[in-house]
Amino acid sequence: MSNTTNAFEMAQSQFDDVAEMLNLDPQVREMLRWPTREFKFQIPVKMDDGNIRVFFGYRIQHNDARGPSKGGIRFHPSETMDTVRALSMWMTWKCAVADIPLGGGKGGVAVDSSTLSLAEKEKLTRGWIGQIYRNIGPRLDVPAPDVGTNSQMMGWMMDEYSKLVGQYTPGVITGKPVGSGGSLGRTEATGYGVIYTVREAMKHLKLDPAKATAAVQGFGNVAQYAAKGFKEILGGKVVCVSCWDREERAPFTISHPDGVDADFLMSITDQYGSIEKKKAVPEGYIIEDGDAWLSKDVDVLIPSALEAQITGDSVKKISDRVKIVAEGANGPTTPEADVVFEKNNIFIIPDFLCNAGGVTVSYFEGVQNDMNFYWQKDEVLNRLDTKMTRAFANVLEMSEREKVFMRDAAYMVSIGKVVEAMEMRGWL
Ligand code: NAD
């Protein structure tokens, strides 16, 4: 594997390793190493002070052999063509491993959305659609929320698209507000999905969830519901979470000797996943360094912030007690850290399996939009549990049969399905 933290090089390196193991045809490899289509565009926005500021937007469609491209839109200052390429590629594998009939795509804007007023954010969000609406659609490419975007922004995007094409089109985007074409359970989906896979991993490793402890990185959408689910679904204890301090522009970890109360922390967290730490201290919370979550003496680590957080260096801080790393985030582990996990026999639930809950309920949302009939929350979450449990079992079975690392097994399952679809469509 290459020595890199460039997300796209990481994604290509992971793919290359498994392509080699599968002895994949070099021409097929070339097709899958790169996205099918890439769009980069300007979005000029008239700011509140009257000046025009130019933002750069992206949409990348990696592969649509199995169905329309699917993937989130990230608003983050370090968004680049390469991060979007990597994320779009991982979406192809994610949809395949979850066995939903969709391909991979991703989009974004290089911006710190917390610096925008509500009006500026709405203009930028609608501007993104204005530039790309001809190249997305319910049967073409269906975006969703990701880091820095939320359901309100998806609602604006759906509205803008509907206006531009002249008809109400809820299926163009998922993660919309409930009552405006959104699905119940979408907010919880990714975090709870992470927990369903942790539950299955614990069954496999014969660990008692009620005695298990976890440390979580991040406290945004994924991390919040992973932390809640670890306690409420599994009966375990989350000893700490971490997040980005927007004032100090640095991360911090917040822990509690009796375990954190996710509901309380959510009540003092802003829409960008930053906890107001001063409000937590009177409740007995302890504030530590940003990377303290990584060295906690726990059974499970749940990185749920951004990519490349566990590196060749930082992996050395991980306690010997850790048995499971459940990747809530996309690409949180670099290839160098992966080598250490494999050597130390740490059970990895790879990102595109572990966090497939979000895209799975996004798919359910599209199905409900098509039917114009909406399910109850329990029905959504039960269907999600079934899908996640089956996906986990398929990857574990591949890992045991081929005697390979869980990440490689997940790639083998996914690449196999995508290549099969390409063959059936006559592309190969
Ligand atoms: P979010 O914006 O809601 O939350 C991100 C969190 O990470 C925030 O709490 C932020 O404070 C924290 N953070 C950022 N930098 C940090 C650092 N250096 N140390 C500690 N915390 C830090 O984003 P999200 O939607 O929860 O997504 C998190 C990850 O999960 C991303 O990799 C995303 O691509 C992936 N993901 C999200 C979904 C989804 O449905 N939202 C689905 C699949 C995968």
Side-chain angles (χ1 to χ4, degrees):
M1 281 198 185
S2 65
N3 182 10
T4 180
T5 50
N6 172 303
F8 185 48
E9 286 174 11
M10 240 170 83
Q12 285 188 319
S13 160
Q14 292 167 349
F15 169 75
D16 289 343
D17 284 355
V18 181
E20 195 60 35
M21 288 180 196
L22 291 171
N23 202 15
L24 203 64
D25 182 290
Q27 292 162 46
V28 180
R29 283 189 210 194
E30 202 52 22
M31 285 169 83
L32 288 172
R33 287 188 95 239
W34 293 94
T36 307
R37 281 175 290 276
E38 302 187 336
F39 303 94
K40 180 176 179 189
F41 42 88
Q42 281 194 7
I43 314 171
V45 172
K46 189 168 226 178
M47 306 298 278
D48 292 349
D49 64 6
N51 289 318
I52 293 187
R53 191 169 148 198
V54 176
F55 296 89
F56 287 96
Y58 306 91
R59 186 71 192 170
I60 294 184
Q61 296 154 356
H62 174 258
N63 183 284
D64 53 9
R66 287 174 43 84
S69 301
K70 184 87 194 84
I73 305 165
R74 185 181 278 193
F75 277 27
H76 193 271
S78 49
E79 196 74 326
T80 64
M81 203 68 163
D82 272 355
T83 54
V84 188
R85 281 176 174 149
L87 291 160
S88 73
M89 193 168 178
W90 286 324
M91 284 308 300
T92 301
W93 314 133
K94 192 179 301 188
C95 293
V97 87
D99 202 26
I100 53 182
L102 298 168
K106 202 81 182 187
V109 177
V111 62
D112 178 352
S113 46
S114 69
T115 60
L116 303 176
S117 71
L118 193 66
E120 290 166 346
K121 204 190 290 182
E122 180 172 352
K123 282 187 214 168
L124 179 58
T125 303
R126 290 183 184 274
W128 190 91
I129 288 289
Q131 293 293 9
I132 197 71
Y133 78 96
R134 291 178 189 82
N135 303 99
I136 61 170
R139 297 287 172 264
L140 188 58
D141 180 5
V142 183
D146 195 76
V147 175
T149 53
N150 58 27
S151 62
Q152 166 67 82
M153 292 157 87
M154 299 305 109
W156 289 329
M157 287 190 173
M158 183 275 282
D159 180 69
E160 191 66 16
Y161 181 90
S162 297
K163 280 180 186 156
L164 288 165
V165 300
Q167 55 180 296
Y168 176 60
T169 315
V172 68
I173 206 150
T174 60
K176 301 178 292 294
V178 171
S180 182
S183 173
L184 290 166
R186 176 63 185 85
T187 308
E188 296 86 347
T190 311
Y192 281 11
V194 168
I195 296 306
Y196 298 148
T197 64
V198 171
R199 181 194 63 206
E200 296 307 303
M202 286 188 170
K203 270 188 213 161
H204 169 65
L205 298 173
K206 301 194 173 37
L207 298 175
D208 181 357
K211 291 193 188 130
T213 50
V216 177
Q217 188 192 28
F219 204 59
N221 174 258
V222 180
Q224 289 174 10
Y225 288 93
K228 233 172 118 59
F230 196 82
K231 187 172 173 201
E232 292 172 12
I233 300 172
L234 301 182
K237 184 163 90 176
V238 175
V239 302
C240 69
V241 300
S242 71
C243 72
W244 187 253
D245 186 325
R246 293 199 290 116
E247 272 172 28
E248 292 179 14
R249 308 194 67 74
F252 66 90
T253 300
I254 180 162
S255 55
H256 196 291
D258 303 330
V260 304
D261 175 348
D263 287 319
F264 166 67
L265 290 181
M266 281 161 78
S267 74
I268 56 164
T269 299
D270 69 15
Q271 58 176 310
Y272 305 104
S274 293
I275 299 168
E276 288 182 67
K277 60 184 173 196
K278 286 184 194 132
K279 290 191 181 164
V281 175
E283 303 281 330
Y285 283 87
I286 300 160
I287 308 296
E288 298 171 273
D289 284 352
D291 59 358
W293 72 278
L294 191 66
S295 50
K296 293 281 176 193
D297 200 23
V298 290
D299 303 296
V300 188
L301 291 178
I302 311 183
S304 303
L306 291 172
E307 55 275 358
Q309 297 299 302
I310 308 179
T311 62
D313 278 339
S314 67
V315 73
K316 294 176 193 147
K317 296 182 186 165
I318 293 180
S319 151
D320 288 344
R321 179 169 162 188
V322 171
K323 297 182 190 66
I324 298 173
V325 176
E327 296 183 330
N330 288 309
T333 308
T334 64
E336 301 82 62
D338 248 357
V339 172
V340 178
F341 285 152
E342 200 170 353
K343 197 171 111 236
N344 295 349
N345 214 11
I346 293 180
F347 190 90
I348 301 296
I349 311 174
D351 50 4
F352 62 81
L353 166 65
C354 191
N355 67 35
V359 76
T360 302
V361 173
S362 274
Y363 163 60
F364 294 161
E365 182 176 327
V367 170
Q368 294 169 80
N369 292 152
D370 280 351
M371 294 189 300
N372 204 12
F373 177 79
Y374 290 83
W375 303 332
Q376 296 301 313
K377 189 168 177 177
D378 279 357
E379 189 172 355
V380 173
L381 293 178
N382 287 337
R383 286 177 190 269
L384 170 65
D385 194 348
T386 305
K387 277 270 186 208
M388 296 299 296
T389 303
R390 196 173 297 151
F392 179 92
N394 287 342
V395 173
L396 181 62
E397 197 254 333
M398 176 69 90
S399 162
E400 294 192 319
R401 179 158 43 92
E402 298 297 324
K403 298 192 176 24
V404 292
F405 191 45
M406 278 290 279
R407 191 182 315 283
D408 295 336
Y411 267 100
M412 285 177 167
V413 170
S414 303
I415 293 172
K417 285 187 183 175
V418 173
V419 171
E420 192 186 3
M422 288 164 75
E423 274 166 359
M424 287 190 294
R425 291 184 67 164
W427 293 3
L428 303 177

